[in-house]
Amino acid sequence: MTMGILVMATLLAGCYSNNCPLENTVTCNYGFYDTEGTAIYYSDTITVTTLMPGYKTVYTYRKLGNKTVTKDDPDAELVNQGYTESVTQQRKDTILLNQLLGASSMKVPMSFFNEEDTLILSYKSILLKDTIKIRHSSYPNVELPECGTYRFHTLQSVTATDAAIDHVEISEPKVNYDGNVNVKIYFNGVAVDN
């Protein structure tokens, strides 16, 4: 009897440590809609980048008849081979989604410590880009100690430019791992498939 209780207690303790959510990635979920509010698949290719704070130094090497080479560190060997070196400062942009095609939504991580995220949406079929600015607060969330800490967010406001976007709105301000659509993007009719 004592052995049975010990085995049962061990099994229950094992189950307790598995109570962590399986879907535990915290992303801001954007749904795509037409101007009438109907869910759509956006048929154009979208690349989403975000602006990181600060700048980085970029070294560009050019030589007539050869491809341009870009590096993060200086390269004396290329200079010895006859390449000219130019040094520039560039923003630290990071690609979050690369060439999303025919999608009805996108999931984008949010910064933990910035109060505003800036997303730049580039399209394949149009030259103009859209900028989405989203203000939010961030806070730690612990459900069970063995599951670790996750950063949840509360959306406060969202704005967007109008190259391909008609308007945006917050539909669920709590960003967690539940998977709800947090922001609705209403496209203005360019590359919209129902």
Side-chain angles (χ1 to χ4, degrees):
M1 174 106 162
T2 306
M3 184 60 140
I5 293 173
L6 184 60
V7 169
M8 188 61 119
T10 304
L11 289 174
L12 287 175
C15 291
Y16 180 73
S17 65
N18 290 329
N19 289 334
C20 301
L22 295 176
E23 294 294 325
N24 57 12
T25 303
V26 179
T27 57
C28 187
N29 301 309
Y30 295 79
F32 299 162
Y33 301 85
D34 64 12
T35 54
E36 304 299 319
T38 305
I40 59 159
Y41 287 90
Y42 194 72
S43 62
D44 196 359
T45 301
I46 302 173
T47 297
V48 180
T49 57
T50 187
L51 301 180
M52 303 295 287
Y55 290 87
K56 64 180 179 180
T57 302
V58 176
Y59 299 87
T60 305
Y61 298 91
R62 292 184 176 86
K63 182 178 179 182
L64 189 61
N66 293 295
K67 286 186 172 183
T68 300
V69 178
T70 304
K71 296 195 168 201
D72 292 334
D73 297 311
D75 191 333
E77 183 62 31
L78 287 175
V79 174
N80 291 339
Q81 294 174 17
Y83 282 81
T84 58
E85 177 185 78
S86 61
V87 182
T88 57
Q89 295 288 315
Q90 294 181 355
R91 289 189 323 228
K92 292 183 179 179
D93 296 354
T94 298
I95 295 175
L96 299 176
L97 291 173
N98 193 15
Q99 299 184 2
L100 182 67
L101 177 64
S104 62
S105 63
M106 64 182 186
K107 296 180 177 189
V108 178
M110 301 188 78
S111 63
F112 291 169
F113 305 109
N114 296 332
E115 293 179 357
E116 183 176 84
D117 291 347
T118 301
L119 304 177
I120 300 171
L121 280 66
S122 304
Y123 308 99
K124 188 172 185 179
S125 67
I126 60 174
L127 293 176
L128 297 175
K129 300 177 181 182
D130 275 314
T131 301
I132 297 175
K133 292 190 176 190
I134 188 157
R135 293 193 60 78
H136 60 89
S137 58
S138 179
Y139 57 94
N141 179 67
V142 179
E143 291 187 20
L144 297 170
E146 60 270 15
C147 295
T149 302
Y150 300 96
R151 297 292 292 189
F152 285 1
H153 312 276
T154 302
L155 305 181
Q156 297 164 343
S157 67
V158 62
T159 60
T161 56
D162 60 359
I165 295 175
D166 183 71
H167 66 284
V168 291
E169 69 181 28
I170 296 172
S171 59
E172 172 56 58
K174 294 180 180 174
V175 178
N176 49 35
Y177 42 69
D178 288 344
N180 298 323
V181 173
N182 302 108
V183 177
K184 292 183 177 182
I185 299 177
Y186 297 89
F187 287 99
N188 62 18
V190 178
V192 169
D193 290 338
N194 289 332

